[in-house]
Amino acid sequence: MKIEITDSAKDWFENEVGLEKGNGVRFMGKVYGKTEVHEGFSVGMEVTQPVDVLVKTTVNGVTYFIDKNDEWFFNGYDLQVSFDKKRDEPIYHFNKN
């Protein structure tokens, strides 16, 4: 399992969320919505510091991570976070690993 943050997603997080070096972003499963592989759940995110990390990647000093409590949601997949210019929001892709 791994997390990939595209350059356009990194730029969005830094500019729109105001992230700076030393910040952390947690990705998690949340009720309602859907993903490419989940029905009734979507990807949520929050700015917080890593505590019980399952997987992480650091880009430009910001740690993007998945907590061990969310393994059920991401198990068997790599997460790619990119950016949709038309919608002006991140997009989450699940790739089998």
Side-chain angles (χ1 to χ4, degrees), residues 18-92:
L19 296 179
E20 299 174 349
K21 290 181 181 176
N23 289 147
V25 175
R26 175 184 171 205
F27 298 110
M28 68 197 95
K30 69 176 191 171
V31 177
Y32 300 113
K34 76 183 233 184
T35 71
E36 299 164 331
V37 298
H38 303 94
E39 198 61 48
F41 295 92
S42 59
V43 178
M45 61 75 97
E46 70 174 330
V47 177
T48 187
Q49 290 301 311
V51 177
D52 200 12
V53 175
L54 176 66
V55 63
K56 68 179 179 176
T57 189
T58 302
V59 179
N60 205 25
V62 175
T63 302
Y64 299 88
F65 69 97
I66 296 169
D67 191 271
K68 288 182 182 176
N69 291 327
D70 295 303
E71 182 175 11
W72 65 274
F73 188 75
F74 297 97
N75 193 30
Y77 297 97
D78 293 331
L79 178 66
Q80 180 193 52
V81 183
S82 58
F83 180 73
D84 185 329
K85 289 181 183 181
K86 289 181 184 176
R87 296 167 111 184
D88 193 32
E89 63 185 27
I91 333 170
Y92 304 97

